[in-house]
Amino acid sequence: MNPVAGGAFALATVGKVVLFFTVLMLAVMLATIFERKVCGFMQDRSGPNRVGPWGLLQVIADGIKNLLKEETMPEQAVRPFFLLAPVLAILPATILFAVIPFASPLPTPWGLVEMIVADVPIGFLYVLAIGSIGVYGVAMGGWASGSKYSLLGGLRGSAQMVSYEVALALSLVPLILLTGDVRAPEIVSMQQTFTAGPATYATWFVFPLLVGLFFFFVSGLAETNRLPFDLPEAEAELITGYHTEYSAMKFSMFMIGEFAHVITVAALVTVFFLGGWDIPFWQGDNIRVLSDGTVIGEPTWWKTLLTLGAFGLKTSLLVLVFVWIRWTLPRFRYDQLMDLGWKFMLEAVTVYILVIAFVILGIEAVGIPAGGWYAFVLFLVNLALAGALFFAMDRGTLIRGGAKGARSAGGDAAQGQGG
Amino acid sequence: MPGNVKVVERPRAESSYVRAAAKGMSITMRHLLSPNKKTQQYPDEKWELAPRTRGTHRMAVHEDGRAKCVACGLCPTVCPVNCIKLVPAEDENGERYAAIYEIDEFRCIFCGYCQEVCPVEAIHLGVHYENAEYSRERWVYDLERLVEQEHDVTALWDPQDPASQ
């Protein structure tokens, strides 16, 4: 069966856009209630449980409340940008989802429909490019509010997101070294086992790129502006920073943007490191569409549903980790945040890229073909690197206030080297 | 560095961010999984109040439904915040009764002196805490309202242990 083409392709794409947007918004709604429930449980409370079964309809009640509340417009605000900022907060997070494959291809009478909204050839670069736009919502909202607190929040947000974008992009370079392709569906296929077609690695990239996952996750956390990196909206110092002056649905849009961002980053981690929609230990779902249109494997509709479930499960688990971290770790101090980004993450990721590049060079010089053994060697290297990394972080003075030598006599800000 | 800042050296186990973070994560996960939640489902499950809880007042009544109050004037006298308004009157049999008896529950500090001083055990504090009202005026309880109250009355002392020993 060939992939759909022509009018059927356009129709299928429109259908997928509508479907995926609905599902994403529903997922955002569920994520808010999920976060409140998990947070409640972690604090030995029961969370919202009054509206609907298990409090599931609470989000609808909140939505109605936010729609009916008064929209305030501060006198000092710059109206066009003030109105534009919430849109810019939502937009990048939602359109990022377009390049994420969320299930195995679906066979239809008109051809094979790939379960990805836009399989652009530069998939992964698109992620980085659109991810950078997210900073506009924060910076613009902070500046256009005409409030000093918001401005500070916006400035912090832009500095933080620009800083961590570097580490975010670099942490994915080892992935490209391994796959040699930036298309997201291809990255998923590379993590599956095939008997025919180009060689793959037969294992999720969490093993051969363990340290890369760590860096990507930390930078992703910083990109979503959530604890421990939520300095732009620090409640205690900045009264929630860049959205202080927003009310009702405009405020809600910032929140929806944040949750959509969380889900998107979780989905990206799933695709890049946890095999995407791949179901572990089962070869039946290994379906690959090569760029020339050849299909390897047997797509069926129930496989699409199953893999969709697997993708949803992995993403939800990652969202749980996000929530878990949020309700555990305290916020970094601003200089610690910048130190972590520029003095630790950037260097460590660069070194990591070099090490992985040389190891790959070595493996290919020895002549191990791409596949399980190739991944295993990389896994061992990563284990060693992870050990070294955590040892360095443990010995490091990133968060220590009073470490010996942390403050030099000259009074310069050289404290807090992260490892 | 300006001044003389004391720098405390701590052992690695206390100062390591990685270890502290891991410990914190394990604590939150333990609480997440623990089925022992502390929330009380309030409107469904209510507090069990102690018998000596002091809440809004209640007036005791005779069997025929008249308030027991004899308008002696002791409670407005003893009230430290002056929240009781009493206008006495006399009926055809020469018995005194309260023509107006109002307690401003907003002003009341629930000290319980009125109950303690009452010679005929008419006015009581109540074991009661759900007092939401739509207007401030509703917080001034008149005699009729005090008689209508149905909650338990406060025990000023434990009958088994009157001297609080």
Side-chain angles (χ1 to χ4, degrees):
Chain A
M1 187 180 283
N2 288 318
V4 284
F9 175 79
L11 262 181
T13 305
V14 170
K16 279 185 289 188
V17 167
V18 172
L19 182 81
F20 117 89
F21 190 73
T22 319
V23 170
L24 183 64
M25 284 298 121
L26 274 174
V28 165
M29 283 170 69
L30 288 177
T32 58
I33 194 80
F34 178 72
E35 164 138 44
R36 292 177 62 184
K37 272 281 181 196
V38 169
C39 139
F41 281 11
M42 281 178 179
Q43 297 166 356
D44 283 348
R45 298 183 285 113
S46 49
N49 61 354
R50 289 282 139 193
V51 193
W54 305 293
L56 276 180
L57 298 180
Q58 180 72 46
V59 277
I60 297 177
D62 287 346
I64 293 171
K65 182 193 78 176
N66 272 328
L67 282 171
L68 297 180
K69 272 172 104 172
E70 183 190 356
E71 298 267 0
T72 54
M73 170 66 69
E75 247 174 56
Q76 303 288 316
V78 184
R79 194 181 166 88
F81 297 121
F82 188 73
L83 296 180
L84 189 61
V87 182
L88 281 182
I90 285 198
L91 204 64
T94 41
I95 58 177
L96 258 186
F97 230 89
V99 293
I100 293 173
F102 47 92
S104 64
L106 177 74
T108 59
W110 304 276
L112 196 65
V113 179
E114 279 202 78
M115 284 291 115
I116 175 173
V117 173
D119 184 10
V120 284
I122 52 156
F124 160 93
L125 300 174
Y126 172 90
V127 169
L128 298 179
I130 300 298
S132 316
I133 293 179
V135 73
Y136 282 104
V138 173
M140 198 181 274
W143 172 74
S145 295
S147 150
K148 293 183 180 71
Y149 288 119
S150 300
L151 181 62
L152 278 175
L155 283 177
R156 279 185 181 189
S158 44
Q160 171 184 331
M161 288 168 96
V162 168
S163 307
Y164 279 86
E165 225 140 67
V166 182
L168 185 82
L170 287 180
S171 67
L172 288 176
V173 171
L175 189 79
I176 307 181
L177 289 179
L178 213 56
T179 57
D181 201 329
V182 292
R183 281 174 57 231
E186 191 56 24
I187 291 173
V188 172
S189 301
M190 283 284 186
Q191 305 178 53
Q192 298 173 326
T193 314
F194 290 100
T195 44
T200 60
Y201 293 95
T203 179
W204 294 357
F205 286 151
V206 59
F207 301 114
L209 295 174
L210 187 63
V211 180
L213 169 65
F214 173 74
F215 286 134
F216 184 74
F217 194 81
V218 173
S219 331
L221 211 58
E223 286 289 297
T224 57
N225 288 331
R226 285 168 69 87
L227 276 166
F229 301 105
D230 74 334
L231 285 114
E233 47 190 278
E235 293 91 345
E237 316 147 41
L238 296 182
I239 331 173
T240 71
Y242 58 91
H243 51 61
T244 307
E245 305 293 339
Y246 284 91
S247 65
M249 206 55 207
K250 290 205 286 292
F251 167 77
S252 244
M253 281 170 78
F254 276 112
M255 281 289 123
I256 293 171
E258 180 183 322
F259 277 99
H261 219 129
V262 168
I263 293 175
T264 308
V265 171
L268 285 175
V269 174
T270 307
V271 167
F272 290 150
F273 296 100
L274 297 179
W277 41 262
D278 181 48
I279 299 172
F281 310 117
W282 184 51
Q283 308 308 334
D285 65 330
N286 297 347
I287 299 152
R288 187 179 194 182
V289 181
L290 298 179
S291 47
D292 60 357
T294 332
V295 179
I296 305 168
E298 293 157 12
T300 57
W301 63 268
W302 54 269
K303 278 180 189 170
T304 301
L305 280 185
L306 271 182
T307 49
L308 183 64
F311 180 78
L313 191 69
K314 288 178 200 175
T315 309
S316 334
L317 281 177
L318 280 166
V319 172
L320 174 68
V321 175
F322 268 96
V323 174
W324 182 17
I325 288 175
R326 172 163 185 196
W327 294 103
T328 305
L329 300 181
R331 184 181 305 139
F332 283 113
R333 213 168 55 206
Y334 201 71
D335 61 320
Q336 290 171 337
L337 175 94
M338 282 296 152
D339 283 352
L340 182 70
W342 289 111
K343 293 187 189 165
F344 172 60
M345 293 277 286
L346 188 59
E347 280 83 344
V349 171
T350 315
V351 170
Y352 181 61
I353 294 172
L354 285 176
V355 171
I356 291 295
F358 277 110
V359 169
I360 288 178
L361 199 66
I363 292 174
E364 279 172 8
V366 173
I368 304 174
W373 283 109
Y374 192 107
F376 184 70
V377 174
L378 272 174
F379 177 54
L380 291 183
V381 171
N382 266 273
L383 268 189
L385 283 177
L389 178 75
F390 280 98
F391 182 75
M393 282 175 69
D394 193 39
R395 311 295 292 176
T397 52
L398 178 65
I399 314 297
R400 278 180 86 191
K404 188 181 275 182
R407 287 157 198 268
S408 60
D412 65 309
Q415 75 270 40
Q417 293 84 350
Chain B
M1 180 175 296
N4 203 3
V5 180
K6 184 182 166 194
V7 175
V8 181
E9 273 296 315
R10 292 199 181 84
R12 184 72 60 200
E14 282 176 27
S15 62
S16 159
Y17 181 75
V18 178
R19 290 186 223 177
K23 192 177 168 194
M25 298 287 275
S26 77
I27 288 174
T28 41
M29 185 43 85
R30 219 167 30 243
H31 282 273
L32 174 67
L33 300 176
S34 144
N36 180 20
K37 299 295 172 228
K38 304 287 188 284
T39 314
Q40 184 188 21
Q41 300 301 327
Y42 163 63
D44 306 333
E45 273 171 48
K46 294 197 175 170
W47 277 96
E48 260 189 41
L49 297 177
R52 294 176 66 178
T53 307
R54 295 183 300 199
T56 47
H57 298 78
R58 185 184 163 185
M59 176 67 80
V61 291
H62 290 295
E63 274 159 23
D64 60 359
R66 282 183 301 121
K68 277 188 177 172
C69 179
V70 294
C72 63
L74 280 174
C75 51
T77 310
V78 77
C79 181
V81 290
N82 244 342
C83 69
I84 303 178
K85 180 181 175 188
L86 171 65
V87 175
E90 227 170 86
D91 65 6
E92 57 273 21
N93 305 327
E95 277 182 26
R96 283 164 66 92
Y97 68 96
I100 300 176
Y101 191 95
E102 285 176 358
I103 298 185
D104 186 345
E105 300 288 353
F106 254 175
R107 253 183 122 157
C108 180
I109 58 168
F110 302 103
C111 60
Y113 285 2
C114 48
Q115 180 176 356
E116 218 169 308
V117 81
C118 187
V120 291
E121 297 195 352
I123 190 69
H124 289 278
L125 295 183
V127 181
H128 186 65
Y129 60 96
E130 291 164 310
N131 292 313
E133 293 290 354
Y134 284 104
S135 72
R136 282 168 178 268
E137 289 72 39
R138 289 276 298 158
W139 277 88
V140 180
Y141 285 22
D142 58 8
L143 190 58
E144 201 182 329
R145 184 115 179 260
L146 286 167
V147 166
E148 275 170 12
Q149 304 294 316
E150 285 174 344
H151 49 257
D152 291 344
V153 297
T154 303
L156 281 189
W157 51 79
D158 186 351
Q160 266 89 51
D161 178 24
S164 291
Q165 290 157 349

